[in-house]
Amino acid sequence: MKRSVPLYMISDSVGETSLKLVNAAAAQFPSVEFDLSYRFPFTKDEDELKSILGDALKDGAVVITTLVSDNLTKIVTDFSERTGLQCINLMNPFMEIVYQKTGVAPLQQAGVVHKLNQEYFDRVAAIEFAVKYDDGKDAKGFLEADLVLLGISRTSKTPLSMYLANNRLKVANLPLIPEVPLPEQIKAVPKEKIVGLLIEPEVQKKIRMSRLNSLGLAENSRYSDINRIKEEVDYAMRVYDELGAFTLDVTNKSIEESATLICEHLDNNL
């Protein structure tokens, strides 16, 4: 069984820097399963940051930050020293070296690397949209989205939403649970904009067991029961048929590969 490592990526801007570096580093550990779904862009509120760090500690996660604010960086440093939370700051060491070498202080302004053009603003808006309408938080987002992702738990809905948002697509997603009725708004979304995610039950079982293990919970719960998973998959298939959704099997596919196939579908049908 692959070892699972949850990664919390915290940024006071878009968060592209940490994602690119993490993907490059993760490729060096093919036997390790990295959970990249915990991304927190535009984190500028101190209380919000402390809450995120508390969740990361509970999940036994590694925290990767690209924060440029001294105050936010100090909060992370103090928290990690106090609790033992493993944390890497990708920005501070380089800025400190340049400051010591030149005497020039950094601007400490988030996002200055980006040109303030329309493409950048569209990307920021899409990322904010994905965060706001993640996990079916607000059903009205389905009607405003460029794309709606459906799937049972642990089918990569959130990381796919964030990845596609970086391509300026406004993505909302909804977890499918047999006991929870579909929101009425989803039925008004054009079928070309709906993508249903699938995964092989045996693979899903391993992913869920790994998730439970990372949380310190019993691996033999109903959440990871193969019969329950098959029941959820059957329900999802009925929903996809009802909505006329494009279905995508994400079993053993990378986020990048799945995103490419989704974009191809949109290009061919919208």
Side-chain angles (χ1 to χ4, degrees):
M1 180 185 296
K2 286 187 176 182
R3 297 192 60 184
S4 178
V5 179
L7 300 177
Y8 272 53
M9 290 174 279
I10 308 172
S11 174
D12 42 17
S13 184
V14 178
E16 289 179 336
T17 303
S18 58
L19 182 61
K20 289 178 180 177
L21 183 57
V22 164
N23 279 327
Q28 302 299 317
F29 298 91
S31 62
V32 178
E33 178 184 327
F34 293 94
D35 188 342
L36 307 181
S37 61
Y38 301 99
R39 295 184 61 195
F40 304 93
F42 307 108
T43 302
K44 298 179 181 180
D45 182 81
E46 294 184 4
D47 289 336
E48 179 187 4
L49 177 58
K50 291 174 183 177
S51 176
I52 294 170
L53 294 174
D55 289 342
L57 185 64
K58 292 177 185 175
D59 285 346
V62 174
V63 171
I64 300 168
T65 70
T66 50
L67 300 168
V68 297
S69 162
D70 272 348
N71 288 338
L72 297 181
T73 299
K74 187 175 188 303
I75 288 173
V76 176
T77 301
D78 291 347
F79 186 94
S80 61
E81 290 178 351
R82 186 174 70 254
T83 64
L85 177 69
Q86 294 177 303
C87 178
I88 304 169
N89 185 321
L90 300 180
M91 299 291 285
N92 190 258
F94 175 73
M95 293 193 298
E96 182 64 26
I97 289 173
V98 173
Y99 174 64
Q100 291 180 1
K101 204 167 186 65
T102 66
V104 178
L107 293 174
Q108 294 187 353
Q109 294 177 9
V112 293
V113 70
H114 301 285
K115 294 181 180 178
L116 299 182
N117 54 27
Q118 190 58 48
E119 180 179 313
Y120 170 66
F121 286 118
D122 288 346
R123 182 183 295 113
V124 170
I127 292 172
E128 291 177 336
F129 187 94
V131 172
K132 183 176 182 179
Y133 297 112
D134 181 46
D135 227 20
K137 291 175 184 173
D138 188 342
K140 72 179 183 181
F142 301 133
L143 302 177
E144 301 173 10
D146 299 320
L147 170 71
V148 177
L149 297 178
L150 306 180
I152 64 174
S153 176
R154 313 307 292 178
T155 48
S156 301
K157 296 183 297 297
T158 296
L160 260 175
S161 296
M162 296 304 299
Y163 186 91
L164 290 164
N166 274 285
N167 290 327
R168 306 188 303 283
L169 284 173
K170 292 183 178 179
V171 185
N173 71 71
L174 176 70
L176 297 181
I177 304 171
E179 295 79 12
V180 179
L182 290 175
E184 286 299 315
Q185 291 89 338
I186 201 73
K187 299 175 183 177
V189 178
K191 65 179 182 179
E192 295 81 9
K193 292 185 177 183
I194 303 177
V195 174
L197 304 177
L198 295 170
I199 192 167
E200 293 179 5
E202 290 292 345
V203 175
Q204 177 72 292
K205 177 180 174 67
K206 292 178 181 178
I207 293 172
R208 291 189 178 185
M209 288 179 64
S210 177
R211 175 61 175 159
L212 290 171
N213 184 59
S214 70
L215 295 174
L217 302 175
E219 294 182 359
N220 60 348
S221 75
R222 187 165 182 257
Y223 181 68
S224 61
D225 179 75
I226 190 65
N227 292 322
R228 169 62 181 181
I229 292 172
K230 289 179 178 178
E231 176 186 333
E232 292 181 32
V233 171
D234 289 342
Y235 169 70
M237 287 300 300
R238 292 196 299 272
V239 170
Y240 301 158
D241 288 341
E242 177 186 346
L243 299 176
F246 169 72
T247 58
L248 177 64
D249 189 337
V250 297
T251 307
N252 299 323
K253 284 186 176 65
S254 67
I255 296 299
E256 294 82 358
E257 184 180 359
S258 296
T260 298
L261 293 172
I262 290 171
C263 289
E264 288 178 355
H265 162 73
L266 293 178
D267 289 342
N268 292 332
N269 292 277
L270 293 179

